[in-house]
Amino acid sequence: MDLQHWLGRAVEAVNGWSAGFGPFTPHPSHHVGDEEFGAAFADLTKRLQDNYPFFHPRYVGQMVKPPHPAAIVGYLAAMLVNPNNHAREGGPATADMEREVIAELAAMFGLPDHLGHLTTSGTMGNLEALYVARESHPGAGVAYSADSHFTHARMCRVLGMAGHSVPVDLHGRMDLDALEALLRRERIGTVVLTAGTTGTGAVDPVHGALALKERYGVRLHVDAAYGGFFTLLAGQGLFDPRPWEAIPSCDSVVVDPHKHGLQPYGCGAVLFADPAVARHYRHDSPYTYFTESDLHLGEISLECSRSGAAAAALWLTLRLLPATPDGLGRVLLPGLRAARRWAGLLQDSPHLTLFQPPELDIVTYFPSEPTLAGVDAATARVLNAGMAGADPVYVSALRVDGHALTGRHPRLVADAPHARVLRSVLIKPEAGDILEHLHRRLEELAGGRSHPCPVPSSPSDRPPAPIPDP
Ligand SMILES: *Cc1c(COP(=O)(O)O)cnc(C)c1O
């Protein structure tokens, strides 16, 4: 689709609708001349050049990419009206679209019943899940893995709940034995399981936690902000489907359409399996909720104003690329395949070492140095040198605990408490297109130039054997 054409058509369509209400004169306080605007616009576009090329396959840094053109056109068309999905009187059309996309996301996870809504972010969705957890299990704490998103601990502080960090295994997944020991010891009401950690894309054993839900009466919340859409590929024999199949048996799940759902920022979603949790949101508003007897979106969310355009963008995108294996599933698959191909290249590399086999589309690796301090310094060097020069490659860094590195790679000398490793998020389906080139470039940056003399010959300097795929 031709983005410029359809952006123009969106403006036309909304103008056509507006014209039906009769002419009026915009207030002169709004007036801006084209010349004046042109100068400011030129400044803006110049300023925007100070950016990383998120759209390009060279960029394999953070989980960022431009939205799908359909999302941009859908967002713009609705934004020209600017509906507020807080309540139906803020915009009935986009409120209905939000309900429809929420139903589609619930179906994607296989939830038999649901209550949910879009949020401005995964963080807000997780906050809501923890808020409902607090209301339904008053006085009890929350457990999340050491590799879970940092905002869980933050939101526990916001909500006045005790947060407990549970150790992870050598794949970055929550250690269920440690969780069970914690459940015996402490008063825990809710366990947060991450389906696709932000750092490595590790998937916690959600299925293994179901038994603990029975045994200890805890709520299970799945933070699938990053990984959620991978559930579409769970039936294809590419990875263990069991954590994904367990999601419908959990109490709540968060997914971020603004990560793998091709949306602009401002689009997260929270879904609850039990619609009766609506009671925890009960409030009255003197301003709104006059247009229908059903619960308004604002009556089942903590936020008030929320973008109706975000719902329109997601709705239009899902019309074209539905949340099915053949729709969005086909958008996610190439990144997953590219991650595995890259892992293979890393396993054969003399200069780079695979940190752990990728579960989803995030690859973690490090320059093959003998010590943690050496790994850390070389990571920083590669990261910065990669972005400079004529053939740039944009990666990111992940700080990991020393024992996470030495546990996976016992030959590394533990001379520092932490080290940064390199991290690449293959969120774009084009990620595989220049993968071999990016890999060679990173090898060059890691090994080529920085070691003019041979590395010392103590056994610890040899690149450790890659760990086998689980
Ligand atoms: C990105 C992410 C979040 C936070 O979501 P935002 O939309 O950035 O607020 C939470 N959890 C996980 C696992 C994430 O990847």
Side-chain angles (χ1 to χ4, degrees), residues 128-382:
E128 297 213 9
L130 294 185
Y131 163 74
V132 165
R134 187 190 74 183
E135 298 302 292
S136 59
H137 288 59
V142 178
Y144 37 76
S145 93
D147 280 7
S148 69
H149 200 266
F150 72 91
T151 49
H152 294 295
R154 173 191 285 178
M155 290 310 176
C156 282
R157 287 200 300 278
V158 169
L159 291 164
M161 303 167 89
H164 303 268
S165 175
V166 181
V168 290
D169 64 16
L170 289 179
H171 302 289
R173 303 175 192 141
M174 184 185 276
D175 176 342
L176 291 186
D177 292 334
L179 172 65
E180 185 155 18
L182 183 73
L183 294 179
R184 278 208 208 95
R185 207 169 59 235
E186 299 281 345
R187 190 160 164 233
I188 308 279
T190 301
V191 177
V192 176
L193 298 147
T194 306
T197 59
T198 316
T200 65
V203 180
D204 281 345
V206 183
H207 52 297
L210 292 181
L212 302 177
K213 177 178 160 81
E214 298 289 310
R215 206 169 304 149
Y216 296 91
V218 286
R219 284 179 70 82
L220 297 181
H221 169 61
V222 181
D223 179 3
Y226 183 70
F229 287 99
F230 280 97
T231 196
L232 297 171
L233 301 178
Q236 303 189 7
L238 295 162
F239 48 78
D240 187 356
R242 292 172 302 167
W244 307 96
E245 290 163 358
I247 292 178
S249 307
C250 296
D251 296 285
S252 50
V253 57
V254 157
V255 62
D256 262 353
H258 69 205
K259 284 176 181 158
H260 259 303
L262 306 174
Q263 299 307 296
Y265 284 117
C267 194
V270 60
L271 304 164
F272 295 95
D274 176 10
V277 300
R279 69 185 179 278
H280 298 305
Y281 287 97
R282 195 159 289 153
H283 68 281
D284 200 14
S285 159
Y287 322 105
T288 46
Y289 313 142
F290 298 115
T291 55
E292 74 176 354
S293 51
D294 272 2
L295 289 174
H296 290 259
L297 291 164
E299 290 177 283
I300 52 161
S301 82
L302 294 181
E303 294 175 271
C304 182
S305 294
R306 240 176 352 87
S307 158
L314 182 57
W315 185 89
L316 187 61
T317 308
L318 292 180
R319 277 286 300 269
L320 302 153
L321 296 165
T324 59
D326 287 338
L328 278 176
R330 280 181 43 221
V331 177
L332 272 76
L333 189 57
L336 185 79
R337 289 205 191 289
R340 294 186 181 183
R341 212 167 82 231
W342 199 353
L345 296 174
L346 288 160
Q347 276 167 329
D348 294 337
S349 172
H351 302 299
L352 294 167
T353 304
L354 185 63
F355 174 67
Q356 68 171 39
E359 253 184 285
L360 302 179
D361 58 359
I362 301 176
V363 187
T364 42
Y365 50 100
F366 56 89
S368 304
E369 297 280 337
T371 67
L372 294 191
V375 166
D376 185 78
T379 290
R381 216 171 50 230
V382 170

